[in-house]
Structures are given as C-alpha cells and as structure tokens.
Amino acid sequence: MHHPFKVGFCFPKFLRRDKGESGTSHGVSVSEILAVRELDVDSGTKDDGRWQKMPQKSTEAYPYAFTVSYVERAWQHRWRCSDVTFHCLEGALCQQWVQTIREQLTALTSRPKHLLVYINPYGGKQQGERIYEQKVAPLFTLASISTHVIVTEHANHARDHLRTEAELKKYDGVVCVGGDGMFSEMVHGLVSRTQRDNGVDQNSPEEKLVPCTLRIGIIPAGSTDCICYATVGINDPVTSALHIIVGDAQAMDVCSVHHNNTFLRYSVSLLGYGFYGDVLADSERKRWMGPARYDFSGFKTFLTHHYYEGTVSFLPATDILGTPRDKTRCRAGCFICQHNGQLYSEDHQPLFLLPEYKGGWRVIRGKFLAINAASMSCACPRSPKGLSPAAHLADGTTDLILVRKCSRFNFLRHLLRHTSKYDQFDMTFVEVHRVRRFRFTPRYCQSDSELDLRENGKKLFSQICRDHPACSCSPAYSSWNCDGEILPHAAIENLPVGQPSLHSSVKGT
Ligand SMILES: CCCCCCCCCCCCC/C=C/[C@@H](O)[C@H](CO)NC(=O)CCCCCCCCCCCCCCC
Ligand SMILES: Nc1ncnc2c1ncn2[C@@H]1O[C@H](COP(=O)(O)OP(=O)(O)OP(=O)(O)O)[C@@H](O)[C@H]1O
Ligand SMILES: [Ca+2]
C-alpha cells in the first residue's frame, strides 16, 4: 500500500504534501484543528468552492485528498487559520482519516457548538457588523458552529435580553462584538440573571455571587478593547474568533460597586476617579470622534489638571501570593491565580470576611489626581503593559493606585511611563496597594444627601473657591469611570467578589 502521508504512532503527526513540497513533516495538535474536509481533487475545488492550488503531478498520482484547517500562531499573540492538504491513493483511507479526525474533534467537549452573538453596530469605528460578517462568521461556519445573531438597536439591549429573555439553555456561550462597554453589558446581563435565578441579593455587599456557567467571548470592535487585549494579548477579531472556536476559557474577577448599601454596577477592568473619570465624562460628549475622543479628552483633562480631596479606605490583601510590583505577568494557567483563587473555593470562607480581619482596614486622606482600581492589568493598544502590569485576572484582588496631587510635569512623566518599560509606580506621589475591597468618600460628601449636593455642585464649587481664593479651582467632585461607564455617585464601596466567577472564551498566550 502506498500513500504519501505517513500514519505516525502519534495521531496528530501528519506528513504534508502540498504546494509541491515532498515529505514536509508537520505536527498539528488535535486541540488546534478547526475543521477537516474532503477534497474533490478531480474538479480541482474544495467542497467550499474555493480553488486549491495543486501541482498537476500530485493530482494525477494521488487522486484522494483532505484538508485540515488549524490554528497557526503568528506574530504578537495573533492566531491565524491555516490549511494543510494531504493526498493519497485510496479513497477509503482518506475517508478513514477524515472520520477519525472528526471523531476526535467531537470528543473535545469544551468547544462551543451553538453561540448567541450580539453585535454593537456603533462601537469603536462602527465596524462591528462588517468585522463579524467578513472575519468571524466564515470561521464559525468552517468550525460548524451555529449562531443566533442579534444586532443591538439601543444601549443595554444585549444586557436586558440576556437578563430576561434569552433562552440560555440553547447555547454553549455568548459572544459580543464590540468594546469594553458591550462586554460590560454582557457581564451585567449574565451575572444578574445568575444571581436572580439562585436567589442571591445583589445589594448585599457581604453576599457571595454565584459564578456564571456560560462563557463570554469577545470579538474586539471597540475603542479601548482592554478586556480583550488583557486576556488574549492582542485586539484582533480573527485571533479572538479562533480562541472561541477551540474553546479556550479564562476566569476573571468581577467586582461589585455599591453606594450606601445599594448595588450600582459590576466592574472587571478599571474603576477610576479623577483623571480617568474626567476623561470619560468629557469623551462621552464626543462619541462622534470615535476612538480618538479619548486622546482629545485625555489631552484636555491633562491640561485642566484637577485634583480631588477625599478619603480612601481599603482592606489590603495580606493572605495572597504576589504584589503589584512583581515583574511576572498574569498568563493563561497563572499559578498565582490558581493559588489565590483557591481561597474562594466552596469550602473556604474568604479570610477577609472573618471578624478578625475587620481590623485590617487602612485609611488614606489626601488630594488625588487619580484613584485607579485595576482588577486586571488594563493593557490596551494605548498602553500595552496597562495601568497595573502585574495585576491578575482571577486572583480575587484589585490593585488600588493612588496618584497624589503633583505638578503637570510629574503627572506627564507618570502617564508616559504607561507606554514604556519604566515603572509608573516608582514615583514619590504614586502608591499602589493590592486590596480586597475599598471605599472612597469625597471630602465634601455628606453621605446620604450627596446626590443633592452634586445637583448643587456649582453652588458648592463657588463656595469652596470663595473660601479658598488662592486655590486652583478644582471642583469638589470627579466621576467614577466604571469600565467605561460613568457612575452617578462619587462615594462608593467596591469589593472584588473574588471568586473567579466569570469565564471569557479567551486566554493569554
Ligand atoms: C503622553 C501620552 C500618555 C499616554 C498615557 C496612556 C495611558 C493609557 C492608560 C489606558 C488605560 C485604559 C484603562 C481602560 C479602561 C476601560 O475600562 C475603559 C472602557 O473601555 N476605557 C476608558 O475609560 C478609556 C480611557 C482612555 C484613557 C486615555 C488617556 C489618554 C491620555 C492622554 C494624555 C495626553 C497628555 C499629553 C500631554 C502633552
Ligand atoms: N445599538 C446601539 N446603539 C447605541 N448604543 C449602543 C448600541 N449597542 C450598544 N450600545 C452601547 O454603546 C456603548 C459603547 O459600546 P462599545 O463598548 O462596544 O464601544 P466603545 O465604547 O467604542 O469601546 P470601548 O468600550 O472599548 O472603549 C456601550 O456602552 C453599549 O451599551
Ligand atoms: Ca484581579
């Protein structure tokens, strides 16, 4: 029996014979095969109708062939779909190979078969629909994944649909095509629904959230795409689609944000007061500028140079491995996430909820240019290492970064370091703490009537300026930027829910 592909003892090893190469050895792991299909050599076409370049000699000598599509790793964490074609003399042997590979693929239970896809047509550069149709849908079809696609018609459409209507049992996962705001909608829809179905009260800061079982996949089509970038390593739609197809999963911390014991929102990336709150508030009025709005508002906010007075209280994470100044980075299978994540397993009461832990709170009063709580690195194309490069995706902690009032020049130095190899925390006016939970109270806050105060903000502001004629006229309040959404309250309590309660179909590579 003669056939040009060697059947090795190790199943995934093939001997490739295409593009005129003879006997090129090529190993593909089954877990990275996307699809296999028989090739109609005589007609010179594949069953998907695309022409296959094949040397005339091979076609005559080996009339049967099949093509394997698989994941090929490219530059900077990018993944691409590649094809390799194998030829042989016997149709039966060819079919045997195809059938065996299909059986192996079916046995991979972590791979999704049915997905619910939400597309935000207005995210980022408004390319969501095009990106999905041209780059992602053909890959899902190739991998035999069926989809139900919903193009959102208004903000919170996806959140409300997931929370109340979607027949989640029919799907192995949900996918959002958009930016961090769309991902946040998915998190809110799924987490809220899971808590409601399990009778958990979201308003109680002490209640442990029930983890979601459905995974969320992100096809990046937003302005910052920090969740995608920080988990996959790149914001590239094809790479993300391939991670989803092969069933990759990464647990993620979800924090809940409360005001006066009332639940406000969940956060997975950045909770920022001062600089990032002001950038967001200004940029929301300039959505028409697309992603460039952040640079414009960033520059403007940098020039205004407002600082905010208040009290930050936090519970340092003392029972964990790792610090925010570590040189190591959180990657798929991260040891620190595994270790610290166990502190939240079913039979472990999180230590920070024990009464003796209550004394561990630290209080810092001051004037801050920025208060940033990063539950993950917040790496994004603007800052490839992120706000807190050593933060962990699923360790149950948040890195609290306090940037005190300093000169514009020093603040610029601090910002610039987010884009270079230099340490942005190694500056006298910056401190960083890895925390379990934190609270913030603005100086002029009178807790329960704070909203009224904000409405009378102008009055208060002018009062402060009259009282301090030499002040730099910083307003009393900034806004909280919660994963790209403005929160209506300045005083908040934040607690990392801790347990890796969310899965995203992506992983760092
Ligand atoms: C001189 C260059 C300095 C560059 C410094 C870059 C630091 C960038 C750090 C980015 C951190 C992103 C955190 C992610 C937050 C997301 O949950 C959220 C939702 O998508 N995005 C934003 O809020 C969007 C936030 C976007 C913030 C953009 C800030 C741009 C600052 C520009 C300052 C210019 C000063 C120039 C002075 C000459
Ligand atoms: N059909 C729609 N019309 C208007 N707004 C929508 C629609 N669908 C979703 N949205 C809202 O658009 C907001 C922004 O979307 P998205 O996060 O996808 O893009 P972005 O803000 O440009 O990117 P990033 O969040 O990465 O900065 C989200 O908060 C979402 O609630
Ligand atoms: Ca974390």
Side-chain angles (χ1 to χ4, degrees):
M1 187 171 72
H2 170 79
H3 52 85
F5 54 90
K6 253 190 214 150
V7 183
F9 291 109
C10 164
F11 169 78
K13 291 275 178 199
F14 298 106
L15 197 73
R16 170 167 96 166
R17 216 181 149 123
D18 62 348
K19 295 175 188 161
E21 296 165 35
S22 58
T24 312
S25 176
H26 198 85
V28 180
S29 157
V30 174
S31 64
E32 295 190 352
I33 293 179
L34 303 167
V36 57
R37 57 203 183 284
E38 271 180 82
L39 204 69
D40 186 351
V41 175
D42 286 342
S43 70
T45 59
K46 289 185 200 169
D47 51 12
D48 67 359
R50 281 189 286 154
W51 283 95
Q52 170 77 3
K53 241 171 132 187
M54 188 135 27
Q56 191 59 34
K57 260 196 194 160
S58 312
T59 318
E60 283 160 13
Y62 310 107
Y64 299 98
F66 65 93
T67 297
V68 174
S69 301
Y70 65 98
V71 170
E72 190 168 62
R73 282 169 171 72
W75 74 109
Q76 286 184 340
H77 302 280
R78 277 179 182 82
W79 282 13
R80 288 289 171 263
C81 173
S82 249
D83 285 349
V84 57
T85 300
F86 302 92
H87 304 269
C88 76
L89 278 171
E90 293 171 38
L93 183 70
C94 193
Q95 273 177 11
Q96 207 182 336
W97 266 100
V98 171
Q99 200 184 332
T100 308
I101 295 173
R102 285 201 177 129
E103 279 166 15
Q104 296 270 334
L105 293 182
T106 314
L108 299 171
T109 51
S110 62
R111 291 197 174 192
K113 292 184 180 62
H114 311 285
L115 291 173
L116 176 57
V117 181
Y118 296 94
I119 304 177
N120 175 2
Y122 300 113
K125 295 180 184 153
Q126 310 196 341
Q127 297 293 307
E129 280 177 285
R130 190 190 60 82
I131 288 172
Y132 183 76
E133 291 307 332
Q134 292 184 3
K135 299 189 172 183
V136 179
L139 289 172
F140 285 171
T141 306
L142 176 75
S144 308
I145 294 175
S146 75
T147 53
H148 178 67
V149 179
I150 297 175
V151 179
T152 61
E153 287 163 13
H154 51 85
N156 295 325
H157 182 170
R159 183 198 68 185
D160 297 341
H161 188 260
L162 274 171
R163 192 160 56 188
T164 53
E165 282 173 56
E167 283 185 74
L168 298 180
K169 281 198 192 81
K170 286 181 18 189
Y171 303 103
D172 307 308
V174 292
V175 172
C176 63
V177 184
D180 297 325
M182 260 313 264
F183 180 76
S184 174
E185 280 202 28
M186 313 290 276
V187 170
H188 281 83
L190 272 188
V191 177
S192 298
R193 179 149 171 184
T194 310
Q195 306 324 304
R196 200 192 54 205
D197 291 352
N198 289 280
V200 173
D201 175 13
Q202 291 187 113
N203 283 324
S204 164
E206 307 304 329
E207 271 214 66
K208 203 172 163 184
L209 291 191
V210 174
C212 298
T213 47
L214 271 190
R215 287 175 292 175
I216 306 176
I218 314 166
I219 302 295
S223 303
T224 314
D225 293 325
C226 112
I227 319 276
C228 176
Y229 197 100
T231 48
V232 180
I234 191 81
N235 57 334
D236 173 61
V238 169
T239 306
S240 289
L242 296 175
H243 276 283
I244 290 170
I245 291 171
V246 301
D248 272 345
Q250 168 65 56
M252 278 169 59
D253 291 330
V254 180
C255 304
S256 53
V257 186
H258 298 254
H259 171 82
N260 283 349
N261 281 330
T262 307
F263 167 77
L264 294 181
R265 280 188 78 84
Y266 293 116
S267 164
V268 287
S269 57
L270 168 70
L271 256 173
Y273 190 77
F275 184 71
Y276 290 102
D278 294 351
V279 171
L280 185 69
D282 190 72
S283 68
E284 279 300 291
R285 295 188 284 270
K286 300 181 176 63
R287 274 211 163 262
W288 55 269
M289 290 175 83
R293 69 190 184 277
Y294 289 133
D295 301 311
F296 180 87
S297 299
F299 182 64
K300 194 173 148 189
T301 307
F302 169 77
L303 290 180
T304 54
H305 199 62
H306 284 156
Y307 65 86
Y308 300 93
E309 291 193 63
T311 305
V312 184
S313 328
F314 59 89
L315 198 53
T318 49
D319 54 339
I320 48 140
L321 294 178
T323 79
R325 309 292 291 272
D326 290 342
K327 292 283 168 262
T328 49
R329 303 291 174 250
C330 184
R331 295 272 179 269
C334 170
F335 172 73
I336 288 190
C337 285
Q338 275 169 26
H339 176 274
N340 296 344
Q342 282 168 8
L343 300 171
Y344 295 93
S345 65
E346 286 302 304
D347 43 342
H348 283 86
Q349 164 84 329
L351 287 181
F352 68 89
L353 288 181
L354 296 176
E356 57 267 30
Y357 217 93
K358 293 260 187 301
W361 283 83
R362 282 191 59 190
V363 179
I364 295 180
R365 280 189 194 85
K367 296 174 179 172
F368 304 102
L369 284 177
I371 297 169
N372 302 324
S375 293
M376 56 162 69
S377 70
C378 293
C380 60
R382 270 188 190 81
S383 170
K385 64 179 186 177
L387 283 179
S388 191
H392 286 271
L393 288 162
D395 67 338
T397 72
T398 290
D399 287 352
L400 183 62
I401 305 157
L402 306 177
V403 185
R404 289 175 189 272
K405 187 184 166 198
C406 64
S407 67
R408 273 193 189 82
F409 176 70
N410 274 337
F411 190 48
L412 181 61
R413 279 177 55 229
H414 169 68
L415 286 178
L416 276 171
R417 286 195 182 184
H418 290 81
T419 61
S420 73
K421 65 178 178 15
Y422 297 106
D423 182 358
Q424 61 258 42
F425 304 138
D426 188 17
M427 307 183 113
T428 51
F429 52 92
V430 182
E431 54 191 285
V432 57
H433 306 271
R434 191 154 281 178
V435 307
R436 290 292 185 196
R437 52 205 292 179
F438 76 91
R439 288 195 193 106
F440 175 71
T441 317
R443 177 165 173 205
Y444 298 102
C445 173
Q446 280 156 21
S447 52
D448 42 357
S449 58
E450 187 209 336
L451 266 180
D452 299 344
L453 281 176
R454 292 201 82 187
E455 275 162 26
N456 296 327
K458 274 192 189 147
K459 228 161 60 188
L460 178 69
F461 181 31
S462 52
Q463 178 65 41
I464 295 164
C465 289
R466 261 201 309 277
D467 293 348
H468 307 278
C471 79
S472 59
C473 290
S474 261
Y477 302 114
S478 172
S479 313
W480 279 99
N481 172 341
C482 177
D483 292 356
E485 294 292 317
I486 301 276
L487 291 184
H489 302 84
I492 61 157
E493 177 176 20
N494 158 280
L495 56 146
V497 175
Q499 69 270 51
S501 53
L502 188 88
H503 294 265
S504 150
S505 293
V506 286
K507 78 173 179 187
T509 47

